[in-house]
Amino acid sequence: MKEEFYISLVGEAFDGYTKASFEEKAVYIKHVSIRDQRYLHNYYEKYREIALCKGLPSEEYQLQYVRDEGIWNDSDELAIENLKFEIKNLKQTARAVFLQSQKEDFLNQVEEKSKELISLQEKRKEIVGQTAETYAEIRSGDEILRFLLFKSSDLKENYYTPEQFDNLESWEVLRINSLQQEVQKKLNDDTIQEAVLKPFFSMYLSLCEDAANFYRKPIPELTIYQLRVVIYGRMFHNIFQYTDDIPDYIKQDPKKLLDFSEAQRNKDSNSGGLRDDSDASAVFGATKQDMDTIKKQSGGKTVSLAEEAKKHGGKLNMEQMMRLAGHDV
């Protein structure tokens, strides 16, 4: 994407709203703040209580009912919890491993386990059916759509009153929902990370340490996107400050930069007793890409065991392999 896109994205985050076109008119979609989230949570609780008073069962009650009937059992629930635990551990392991090929393998496992988890959660939702919580989610979801839509950039007058919104056709509500989804898609974590690494934002990185002074606003008034801008800005600023020898080609790539920083932190703990003056790296299970990465990070040279074996008649003894790995023997 062109840099203008990222400048516009950060500008929207600074403004606290996104301007869009709706019904051939300009509308302003407010970005949610902590205070807004509290208001919307209270709205959720209000409709949850209304649903309970009208006889709609709670999720806890309905879940126990389907268990008692044998439609859903403890082993199904345990499978969901186990998958959550596995996914969490796999993500932690992926962050800790040194080799990129191993990292990708763990992330592929995360993707597969996540698909299993979503499938089980959808199955449980279908079995449990309508509850006070699902009713409250729907009603509060509608309120979010109305609450965040404004007539002007001062964000003082909503585009619809509650009564007007209640009288909208379903297709009109869907159009408003698509506007909200476009904002969320544009201002996601990946694009914000990419934006703060662009050259135009480099002068702001050191200022991200103090969010309140950066925006000249109290923290509770900051939107989630404003907070993400300074959080990621501070994170990458710290990486640039405390990580040595970052290759230029990854300085604007969030994923590669984070992987490089993580690998640098793990390098010493994964050295396996290498001599400090060693200039060769031999890592079992490493791909050529892994070895190139190791070489760039260590400033040394990498060794192909196959090529070295050819020099010694097709095989290496233990002493030769230890020396190649940089160990004293």
Side-chain angles (χ1 to χ4, degrees):
M1 296 181 186
K2 294 183 178 180
E3 189 158 290
E4 288 77 10
F5 168 82
Y6 294 103
I7 293 173
S8 174
L9 182 147
V10 171
E12 287 181 23
F14 281 11
D15 289 338
Y17 62 82
T18 295
K19 184 178 179 180
S21 177
F22 181 68
E23 297 179 336
E24 299 183 353
K25 296 179 182 178
V27 293
Y28 299 82
I29 304 166
K30 183 182 181 182
H31 301 164
V32 178
S33 68
I34 295 174
R35 284 178 174 168
D36 295 332
Q37 288 175 321
R38 180 174 178 270
Y39 164 82
L40 294 169
H41 177 72
N42 289 339
Y43 199 88
Y44 168 87
E45 288 298 330
K46 169 188 172 182
Y47 278 97
R48 180 178 177 276
E49 290 300 319
I50 289 174
L52 289 172
C53 290
K54 290 185 176 181
L56 207 58
S58 68
E59 183 174 323
E60 181 181 5
Y61 174 88
Q62 194 69 0
L63 188 57
Q64 187 58 52
Y65 172 78
V66 295
R67 280 173 170 171
D68 292 342
E69 292 295 314
I71 306 171
W72 183 261
N73 54 53
D74 291 338
S75 63
D76 295 321
E77 196 68 24
L78 183 61
I80 288 178
E81 296 306 313
N82 285 341
L83 282 169
K84 289 179 181 178
F85 183 75
E86 286 183 65
I87 291 168
K88 178 182 177 181
N89 284 343
L90 286 167
K91 287 180 177 179
Q92 291 175 341
T93 304
R95 287 195 296 268
V97 296
F98 181 59
L99 300 179
Q100 182 62 30
S101 58
Q102 293 177 347
K103 188 185 295 289
E104 289 174 358
D105 180 55
F106 283 114
L107 291 176
N108 287 336
Q109 292 182 58
V110 168
E111 185 177 354
E112 290 301 314
K113 295 293 182 182
S114 297
K115 289 178 181 177
E116 291 181 41
L117 177 61
I118 292 171
S119 177
L120 271 178
Q121 288 175 327
E122 288 296 323
K123 180 181 177 182
R124 180 176 66 174
K125 186 175 181 180
E126 183 179 343
I127 289 173
V128 171
Q130 180 81 323
T131 65
E133 285 80 4
T134 55
Y135 173 79
E137 285 173 8
I138 293 170
R139 291 306 305 265
S140 61
D142 287 344
E143 175 61 10
I144 289 172
L145 297 180
R146 188 198 71 80
F147 178 76
L148 297 178
L149 204 64
F150 288 84
K151 291 184 176 181
S152 62
S153 60
D154 61 12
L155 306 180
K156 290 182 178 179
E157 185 179 359
N158 285 105
Y159 196 82
Y160 292 111
T161 66
E163 293 76 18
Q164 289 172 331
F165 192 87
D166 286 342
N167 290 324
L168 292 179
E169 299 289 339
S170 57
W171 64 268
E172 293 176 298
V173 176
L174 288 174
R175 281 188 60 193
I176 298 170
N177 185 51
S178 68
L179 289 178
Q180 301 282 14
Q181 289 179 342
E182 286 174 17
V183 173
Q184 293 171 8
K185 182 179 179 180
K186 183 178 181 181
L187 288 157
N188 62 49
D189 285 354
D190 291 340
T191 54
I192 291 176
Q193 288 182 20
E194 291 166 5
V196 301
L197 285 177
K198 295 299 179 184
F200 80 89
F201 198 82
S202 59
M203 68 184 72
Y204 299 106
L205 285 178
S206 62
L207 304 176
C208 292
E209 294 292 331
D210 188 340
N213 280 333
F214 187 81
Y215 292 108
R216 297 291 181 184
K217 286 182 177 181
I219 295 296
E221 293 182 11
L222 297 179
T223 71
I224 57 173
Y225 301 128
Q226 288 170 343
L227 288 171
R228 287 174 182 172
V229 167
V230 292
I231 287 170
Y232 292 133
R234 180 168 60 186
M235 178 178 71
F236 289 125
H237 178 65
N238 287 337
I239 288 176
F240 290 134
Q241 289 287 101
Y242 301 109
T243 306
D244 297 327
D245 304 320
I246 302 174
D248 289 337
Y249 75 96
I250 70 170
K251 287 184 177 179
Q252 291 185 35
D253 188 314
K255 184 180 183 303
K256 290 180 179 178
L257 183 57
L258 290 169
D259 286 345
F260 181 87
S261 174
E262 192 71 35
Q264 287 289 77
R265 287 198 298 271
N266 293 332
K267 185 170 63 175
D268 292 338
S269 61
N270 285 277
S271 63
L274 291 178
R275 298 195 312 267
D276 291 338
D277 62 350
S278 173
D279 65 352
S281 297
V283 181
F284 293 100
T287 64
K288 185 179 184 301
Q289 181 184 5
D290 293 330
M291 296 308 294
D292 289 342
T293 301
I294 294 168
K295 182 178 179 180
K296 288 171 184 173
Q297 293 176 357
S298 66
K301 63 183 180 180
T302 59
V303 175
S304 167
L305 294 181
E307 291 176 4
E308 289 298 319
K310 287 180 182 179
K311 297 177 185 179
H312 297 277
K315 63 180 180 180
L316 297 170
N317 60 34
M318 183 57 68
E319 181 178 336
Q320 290 166 332
M321 292 183 68
M322 292 289 284
R323 286 193 181 280
L324 284 174
H327 293 279
D328 289 314
V329 293

